[in-house]
Structures are given as C-alpha cells and as structure tokens.
Amino acid sequence: SDNISPKSSLPYYYLIDNLLADNRTYEAEKYLSELSSLPSATPVLVDVYPAYIALGNHNVSKADEIIEKYKRKEITNKEEHIKLSHYK
C-alpha cells in the first residue's frame, strides 16, 4: 500500500506489470484497485488492465469481453466528441 502523498501512478504501472509477468493476478487486481483511485491514473490503462488480468487467469473470453466493452465506450466517446464539436 502506498502511504506517500501525493501518490504517483507510475510505480503502480510497473508493479502491476511485474505481478502479471509473475502470474500473480490476485495481487495485480488489488493494486489496480488502488491505481484506479488515483487522479493521475491513465483511464485507458485502468480500463484495459482487467483484460490482462483475465488473460493471466487463462480467461480469454472475459479478456475479449473487456476489450470489446472498452472499444464500444471509446466509439461512444468519439461520437459524443464529434457531436459536441459541431456546436463550437
């Protein structure tokens, strides 16, 4: 647990990557939860890391589902951005 303030997201990325490389997915989930609460966390990584965790757990269908959900979210965000940009 990171008790230093302000918290940086960068060490969490390294830690989660190393935990996934060691197939320690349970711990990776714990630190992903902490990472997702940080203001400096990159939203795309917070959204996509669960797919890597699912792959580490040999659950390809769940990983695919997570990525497809993310792609739909991004398409919706782009469409909304396009709609808003027409009103400027």
Side-chain angles (χ1 to χ4, degrees):
S1 181
D2 186 357
N3 294 321
I4 300 171
S5 187
K7 294 181 181 182
S8 170
S9 56
L10 186 60
Y12 283 91
Y13 300 134
Y14 288 121
L15 177 60
I16 292 168
D17 285 342
N18 284 311
L19 290 170
L20 290 172
D22 289 342
N23 205 33
R24 295 162 60 185
T25 56
Y26 177 76
E27 292 169 272
E29 284 180 299
K30 176 185 155 200
Y31 286 104
L32 176 59
S33 176
E34 288 186 30
L35 170 66
S36 65
S37 69
L38 299 178
S40 60
T42 306
V44 66
L45 291 177
V46 171
D47 288 344
V48 173
Y49 263 129
Y52 288 117
I53 292 169
L55 288 173
N57 290 326
H58 308 286
N59 192 340
V60 175
S61 61
K62 182 175 180 181
D64 286 343
E65 179 183 313
I66 291 166
I67 294 299
E68 289 302 319
K69 181 179 174 184
Y70 174 74
K71 285 172 33 181
R72 285 191 301 275
K73 176 181 163 186
E74 282 303 299
I75 289 169
T76 302
N77 288 345
K78 285 180 184 175
E79 289 173 352
E80 193 62 30
H81 176 73
I82 290 168
K83 287 178 193 174
L84 292 174
S85 68
H86 289 287
Y87 294 106
K88 289 184 178 181

